[in-house]
Structure formats: structure tokens, C-alpha cells
Amino acid sequence: MNPFVFACITPHGSEIIEALSGHNPELMAKTRQSMEILGRDMEAAKPDAIVVLTPHGVRISEQFAITNCERMVGELEEEDGSRVEMERFVDRELAWSIYEEAALAGVRIGSINFAVSEGPYSCLPLDWGALVPLYFMPDVPVVVITTSYELEYEDHVRLGKHLAKAVQASGKRVGLIASCDWSHAHAADGPYGYHPAAAKLDAQVVELIRENKLEDMMALDEGFVEDAKPDGIWQALVLAGAIPQAARDVEFLSYEVPTYFGLMCAAYYNRSSK
């Protein structure tokens, strides 16, 4: 069973947002068009809340981290001075339910807040892994979950299963975003340099998404992954655990490598929720 009204795999490069694309708005135009489609589909699904899986949020050593603050605020700024700011309130009831469901099952997860238990000072940063995809989505409360490279792939699938149980029990209409950039070693002048594994890994991931075989990412060789340097596998595996393979109605939208890292967009529809 798929308890999510809509789910998607999105990238999170800041230049996807046209206001942050500087003098080259065509650089990530293909991905931007796909993100606009995903945003419209999420809007049409009428979620009460959106769960975002990000690799870049507040990190806890060897644990998942789930936001349980009043609100989240983030800002992205480019060298030319262009800036995007965002504030989202947190669905704390849903966040606590997810945390409790996962923690009681033995999943290594921490509930995080800042300064005070509630009120305006209870605020955490909204990282770019969450802010960029949320820019295209309806303005509804969120729950942000940070994945962990230190935990096993199986732990991420397991988290997804308990996430789904909590969402199902909540009775709420919930959307899910797996925020995933892919291999970061496509260009010699990029910060991670070039490695041929980047194109090979991304090609495999494209096929796995198209063929609805997200779970097969668990079989990717550790050295191969390290050479390619993706940051999407972990969030994709949480989505794989959250939505059973038989319940995934997937549409692959786009893939491109406009700079040094790969960008993919895919939609997971829940026909029964419409």
C-alpha cells in the first residue's frame, strides 16, 4: 500500500531556481521544467504536509535526524547577490509520530529542536537539499529528515517502512520528496574532479528508476559509489522502503548533467488518492 498522495525524486542544485541561475537561465532549464511539473502534481494531490528526505540537514552521528521544531528558515545566495529565502512551519504532530514509530522499532533516529520547546525561537535551518525542491511545491507544513552515510543501506529502507506506517496511521494527506543529486565526479574542473564511474553509476540509476527497481541500489559496490560520489542513494532507499515496489506508479521525467553533478526527476503517483 502507498500511503503518500504523491512522491518524487528531485535534485537540489540551487541554479534550478531561475532566480538563482544568474546570466545562464538555460543551464538547468530541462530540470527546472521537470520540477515545475512535479510541483503542479504535488499541488494537485493536495497534501496536508510534505516529508522531505535530505542529505544536507542537521546531522547526528550514526543516526537519522528528524525535525521537531516550530518552524524552519533557509536562505540561498549566489555570487551576483541574487537570493531566495524561505520559511516553512513544521508539522510537529506528524514529526513526533514518525520519530516514535521508528524509534520504538529500534531505528537509530533523533528528534531535533533548537533553543526552546516551542514558539518563534524553536527554529532550525532549512538546508538547500530541502529548500530547492520545496521552492516548487505548495506552501504546507513540512517534516525534514536527514539521512546518514554512516548507516547501512538496509537501515534506510527500514526507516522508509516505519515512515509509511506513521503516515498511514496519521490519516493525513502527506507528500514525500527524496531530494537527491547524483554523481558529483562528471567534470575535471568540478570540486571532486572527474571519474568515469560518475557516468556509469548515473546510467545505472536512471535504469533502476525507470524499471522501478530502487531496491537494487543496495547492491552497488562501495568503491564504485565512492568513485562516482552521488548523494542520492540514501534518500532513494528511504523512498523504496516507504512505498512498496508493487505500489509504485513511476514516471521518469528527466536526467541531465549541466555542470559536474547529475540531476534526475521522477514522479511516483498514487492513483487511489486522487
Side-chain angles (χ1 to χ4, degrees), residues 168-259:
Q168 180 66 32
S170 75
K172 296 184 178 184
R173 297 180 62 83
V174 179
L176 178 62
I177 298 172
S179 181
C180 308
D181 284 341
W182 295 94
S183 297
H184 283 60
H186 282 281
D189 59 352
Y192 303 98
Y194 171 78
H195 199 287
K200 293 178 182 177
L201 186 142
D202 281 7
Q204 289 187 29
V205 170
V206 167
E207 286 307 304
L208 291 177
I209 294 175
R210 287 185 183 277
E211 296 175 4
N212 195 19
K213 296 180 178 179
L214 294 178
E215 293 83 356
D216 287 3
M217 291 186 198
M218 289 192 287
L220 292 170
D221 177 76
E222 184 177 337
F224 179 45
V225 171
E226 175 57 32
D227 289 339
K229 293 181 171 51
D231 72 5
I233 296 172
W234 299 264
Q235 299 80 255
L237 288 175
V238 178
L239 189 152
I243 306 175
Q245 187 175 31
R248 289 184 218 137
D249 187 358
V250 60
E251 180 181 351
F252 188 88
L253 297 180
S254 64
Y255 169 70
E256 64 174 339
V257 189
T259 57

Side-chain angles (χ1 to χ4, degrees), residues 65-119:
I66 183 167
T67 54
N68 192 10
C69 51
E70 197 80 18
R71 63 194 180 99
M72 302 184 75
V73 174
E75 176 184 297
L76 293 175
E77 184 173 3
E78 294 298 314
E79 293 181 358
D80 63 2
S82 57
R83 177 185 302 153
V84 168
E85 298 175 344
M86 180 180 291
E87 178 182 23
R88 291 288 185 271
F89 287 94
V90 175
D91 187 329
R92 302 189 73 176
E93 179 183 43
L94 180 60
W96 182 257
S97 296
I98 297 167
Y99 166 74
E100 191 171 46
E101 163 65 33
L104 288 174
V107 175
R108 303 182 69 175
I109 187 168
S111 172
I112 56 175
N113 197 352
F114 176 76
V116 293
S117 60
E118 60 186 14

